[in-house]
């Protein structure tokens, strides 16, 4: 048997063993496979047809790649995807190995139709050095985990390096983010590598119109003067320009967006054709995610009807605005928060939330980022008028409580838990205290989300709707 096939079987065996003990086998199998067969990732390209798509950026990677995967599957393509968001090399190898193993018959390997792989922006060049992509979607660049990534310029340089390692790759880039401008500028000699998407107008219907996301002080890459805006949608995203004449690139794919409390409607124009799409994912940040996925699908020749069907069938990835029905006409909603912009946009959608209690869990483990100073940049003031209990937990439970107090939240309604990362226990205790017809909203950082996910089967069995 070829060593590559042995590596696939080894990965599957490790994954199966870990899941037996209720561990999420998202990265460890890939680590072992790469030790067993260092050329594994490079050889994978031979067994995956087109399209091979990477998704990188600070926010929106998991949702964008999940939506795009669902779209391609509605087009009857078998697509490999690291759905659970393990986006560093070990996680990507694990996802590819499991996807290819599932296609094996009688030890014979059958090619996959394609792949949509979420890639951590700091590791994209590491993956791109071994795996050849057809397309790269770049969603945005925000300040995120400065202890790991440093300033945005470091992540941008690593993305540029990865693009250089894939000479035939096409880039689907969010033109509304001026922090990405330097990427196409680095490849001036090959402008047709880039496909630009963006938003031309936003309307809000019964939704908080004002974004309080922190704004980076960005400066024009040509003249070093402050970037100006005709329209700014949130953070630094918008129709930007500079007095020197530099401006947002002309859009190849553009959208008018209507944001509702329970949906987004996008009128998307591509090659003089306009298509209307509805997604039940809420918030303008999810409209951007949907537009990124739609853009890639249209570029790949996917039909409008298949994109529509995918949006109808799409289930959010765990923790990305995921709703779980509970007994007693109650509901559990889980939101991942991990940096000031993403958290602020989630909080924007929760302003005025009623009939719900809340758990906020902040961890500072390595995967979360050790530096939690971002809490002070996120718009927790959106919760100052929240009229029900907020329970804080996580290794930085007291930091979360202090932030809420300074945001103006009523301290009488604040319950501060121990500094433990076992957020599933806090969630379970909170569900026990819910009244009928009362909901629970959970805001949680990455490792806390994994703890909830690990215990979700038990929680659903105990509290889930019959």
């Amino acid at each position: 048997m070829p060593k590559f096939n042995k590596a696939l079987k080894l990965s599957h065996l490790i994954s199966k063993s870990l899941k037996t003990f209720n561990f999420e086998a998202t990265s460890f199998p890939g680590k072992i496979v790469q030790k067993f067969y260092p050329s594994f990732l490079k050889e994978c390209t031979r067994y995956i047809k087109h399209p091979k798509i990477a998704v990188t950026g600070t926010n929106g990677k998991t949702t964008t790649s999940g939506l795009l995967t669902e779209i391609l599957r509605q087009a009857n393509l078998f697509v490999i995807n690291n759905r659970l968001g393990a986006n560093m090399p070990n996680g990507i190898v694990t996802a590819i190995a499991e996807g290819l193993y599932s296609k094996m018959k009688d030890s014979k390997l059958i090619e996959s139709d394609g792949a949509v792989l979420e890639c951590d922006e700091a590791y994209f060049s590491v993956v791109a050095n071994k795996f050849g992509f057809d397309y790269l979607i770049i969603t945005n660049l925000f300040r995120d985990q400065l202890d790991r990534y440093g300033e945005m310029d470091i992540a941008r340089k690593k993305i540029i390096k990865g693009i250089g390692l894939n000479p035939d790759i096409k880039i689907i880039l969010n033109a509304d983010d001026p922090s990405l401008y330097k990427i196409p500028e680095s490849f001036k000699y090959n402008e047709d590598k880039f496909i630009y998407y963006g938003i031309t107008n936003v309307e809000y219907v019964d939704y908080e119109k004002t974004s309080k996301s922190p704004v980076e002080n960005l400066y024009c890459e040509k003249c070093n003067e402050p970037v100006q805006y005709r329209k700014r949608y949130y953070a630094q995203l918008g129709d930007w320009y500079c007095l020197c004449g530099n401006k947002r690139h002309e859009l190849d794919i553009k959208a008018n967006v209507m944001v509702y409390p329970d949906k987004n409607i996008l009128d998307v124009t591509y090659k003089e054709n306009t298509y209307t799409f509805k997604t039940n994912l809420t918030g303008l940040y999810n409209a951007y995610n949907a537009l990124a996925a739609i853009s890639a699908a249209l570029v790949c020749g996917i039909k409008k009807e298949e994109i529509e069907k995918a949006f109808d069938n799409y289930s959010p990835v765990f923790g990305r605005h995921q709703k779980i029905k509970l007994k007693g006409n109650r509901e559990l909603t889980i939101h991942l928060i991990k940096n000031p912009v993403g958290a602020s946009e989630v909080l924007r959608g929760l302003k005025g939330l009623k009939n719900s209690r809340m758990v906020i869990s902040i961890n500072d483990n390595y995967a979360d980022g050790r530096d939690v100073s971002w809490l002070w940049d996120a718009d927790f003031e959106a919760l100052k008028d929240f009229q029900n209990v907020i329970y804080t937990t996580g290794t930085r439970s007291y930091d979360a409580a202090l932030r809420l107090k300074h945001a103006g939240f009523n301290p009488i309604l604040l319950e501060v838990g121990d500094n433990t990362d076992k957020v599933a226990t806090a969630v379970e205790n909170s569900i026990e205290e819910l009244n009928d017809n009362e909901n629970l909203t959970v805001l949680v950082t990455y490792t806390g989300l994994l703890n909830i996910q690990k215990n979700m089967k038990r929680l659903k069995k105990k509290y889930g709707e019959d």
Side-chain angles (χ1 to χ4, degrees):
M1 181 187 298
K3 194 170 184 178
F4 185 83
N5 289 20
K6 288 181 181 179
L8 295 181
K9 292 195 172 185
L10 175 62
S11 175
H12 178 71
L13 180 62
I14 296 170
S15 295
K16 189 175 180 179
S17 299
L18 289 172
K19 289 175 182 177
T20 301
F21 295 98
N22 200 28
F23 289 103
E24 285 295 338
T26 56
S27 296
F28 186 69
K31 180 178 181 178
I32 301 302
V33 163
Q34 291 188 96
K35 287 184 178 296
F36 171 74
Y37 189 23
S39 299
F40 179 84
L41 188 56
K42 189 171 185 178
E43 191 169 340
C44 282
T45 308
R46 294 172 48 195
Y47 301 102
I48 301 174
K49 294 186 285 188
H50 304 288
K52 294 188 281 290
I53 303 171
V55 183
T56 198
T58 305
N59 288 347
K61 296 185 292 290
T62 302
T63 300
T64 299
S65 61
L67 281 168
L68 182 55
T69 298
E70 183 64 31
I71 291 169
L72 295 176
R73 287 176 179 168
Q74 289 298 329
N76 295 316
L77 297 176
F78 177 87
V79 180
I80 294 171
N81 172 234
N82 48 341
R83 176 175 171 79
L84 295 179
N87 56 26
M88 297 183 191
N90 291 337
I92 288 170
V93 169
T94 300
I96 293 175
E98 281 295 282
L100 291 177
Y101 180 86
S102 71
K103 295 282 284 181
M104 288 183 75
K105 290 184 179 178
D106 300 323
S107 296
K108 183 179 179 181
L109 188 57
I110 301 172
E111 289 180 327
S112 166
D113 294 323
V116 179
L117 299 173
E118 171 188 341
C119 294
D120 183 288
E121 55 271 33
Y123 287 90
F124 171 66
S125 62
V126 176
V127 177
N129 189 41
K130 297 180 179 180
F131 189 90
F133 289 103
D134 302 313
Y135 298 99
L136 169 65
I137 300 171
I138 309 178
T139 59
N140 48 60
L141 280 180
F142 300 127
R143 289 166 64 89
D144 184 36
Q145 298 190 29
L146 296 182
D147 54 319
R148 287 178 60 201
Y149 300 130
E151 294 294 337
M152 292 188 298
D153 189 53
I154 296 174
R156 185 168 52 219
K157 286 177 179 176
K158 291 182 177 181
I159 293 172
I160 291 169
K161 179 180 177 181
I163 293 171
L165 293 169
N166 272 212
D168 297 326
I169 197 170
K170 293 271 189 179
I171 317 301
I172 300 170
L173 183 139
N174 182 0
D176 290 357
D177 188 349
S179 74
L180 300 179
Y181 173 81
K182 206 168 187 176
I183 296 176
E185 277 292 291
S186 300
F187 296 92
K188 273 185 175 180
Y189 62 88
N190 198 354
E191 176 64 20
D192 62 356
K193 285 179 72 72
F194 290 86
I195 300 160
Y196 298 90
Y197 70 90
I199 291 175
T200 50
N201 191 54
V202 180
E203 294 181 46
Y204 296 96
V205 182
D206 297 326
Y207 194 93
E208 175 60 35
K209 294 178 173 58
T210 305
S211 172
K212 298 292 182 64
S213 292
V215 178
E216 290 293 324
N217 294 318
L218 296 180
Y219 295 87
C220 176
E221 297 287 350
K222 287 188 175 180
C223 70
N224 208 34
E225 291 296 315
V227 168
Q228 309 289 320
Y229 289 86
R230 297 181 182 88
K231 296 179 182 179
R232 183 157 60 194
Y233 303 125
Y234 76 88
Q236 74 261 19
L237 304 187
D239 184 359
W240 60 273
Y241 69 98
C242 179
L243 297 176
C244 74
N246 195 19
K247 62 181 180 179
R248 176 179 75 171
H249 198 281
E250 183 178 346
L251 301 177
D252 299 298
I253 304 168
K254 55 190 176 182
N256 290 325
V257 179
M258 294 190 70
V259 180
Y260 295 81
D262 60 345
K263 64 187 175 186
N264 287 316
I265 296 178
L266 295 84
D267 292 324
V268 180
T269 301
Y270 175 58
K271 291 185 175 179
E272 300 182 352
N273 294 312
T274 300
Y275 312 95
T276 298
F277 300 100
K278 184 188 83 170
T279 170
N280 294 326
L281 296 173
T282 59
L284 184 57
Y285 61 100
N286 272 322
Y288 268 107
N289 297 336
L291 179 57
I294 291 166
S295 298
L298 292 174
V299 168
C300 290
I302 306 300
K303 297 177 182 176
K304 174 181 182 288
E305 294 75 20
E306 292 163 338
I307 300 173
E308 289 177 322
K309 192 173 179 181
F311 283 145
D312 290 339
N313 293 336
Y314 177 72
S315 297
V317 176
F318 192 85
R320 274 70 170 186
H321 193 70
Q322 185 185 29
K323 293 181 180 290
I324 298 162
K325 297 290 184 181
L326 305 175
K327 296 173 184 175
N329 196 29
R330 302 174 297 178
E331 193 170 68
L332 168 64
T333 305
I334 305 171
H335 299 273
L336 174 68
I337 58 172
K338 62 188 184 76
N339 56 45
V341 171
S344 294
E345 288 305 301
V346 168
L347 290 162
R348 180 184 183 184
L350 299 178
K351 191 171 183 178
L353 180 68
K354 297 178 181 178
N355 200 38
S356 180
R357 300 188 186 205
M358 190 174 294
V359 172
I360 298 179
S361 177
I362 306 297
N363 284 346
D364 63 351
N365 299 315
Y366 176 75
D368 305 294
R370 301 291 190 188
D371 180 3
V372 297
S373 63
W374 63 267
L375 292 171
W376 296 92
D377 293 325
D379 183 32
F380 282 94
E381 281 71 18
L383 299 178
K384 68 179 180 179
D385 297 321
F386 188 70
Q387 297 297 313
N388 212 332
V389 172
I390 295 182
Y391 185 96
T392 67
T393 186
T395 58
R396 303 303 285 264
S397 174
Y398 294 104
D399 296 78
L402 182 63
R403 179 66 183 93
L404 287 168
K405 182 179 178 181
H406 278 267
F409 178 69
N410 184 355
I412 295 175
L413 296 174
L414 189 59
E415 295 187 13
V416 185
D418 294 334
N419 277 14
T420 171
D421 60 2
K422 295 179 180 178
V423 63
T425 302
V427 170
E428 183 168 4
N429 292 340
S430 298
I431 293 174
E432 289 280 2
E433 295 176 3
L434 291 178
N435 300 315
D436 284 352
N437 302 309
E438 192 174 40
N439 302 319
L440 179 63
T441 301
V442 178
L443 308 183
V444 59
T445 52
Y446 184 69
T447 59
L449 180 65
L450 295 180
N451 181 250
I452 298 175
Q453 188 174 27
K454 183 178 179 180
N455 289 275
M456 185 49 65
K457 186 176 180 180
R458 178 180 58 81
L459 292 173
K460 281 185 177 180
K461 185 176 180 180
K462 189 173 182 179
Y463 302 106
E465 189 176 58
D466 295 327

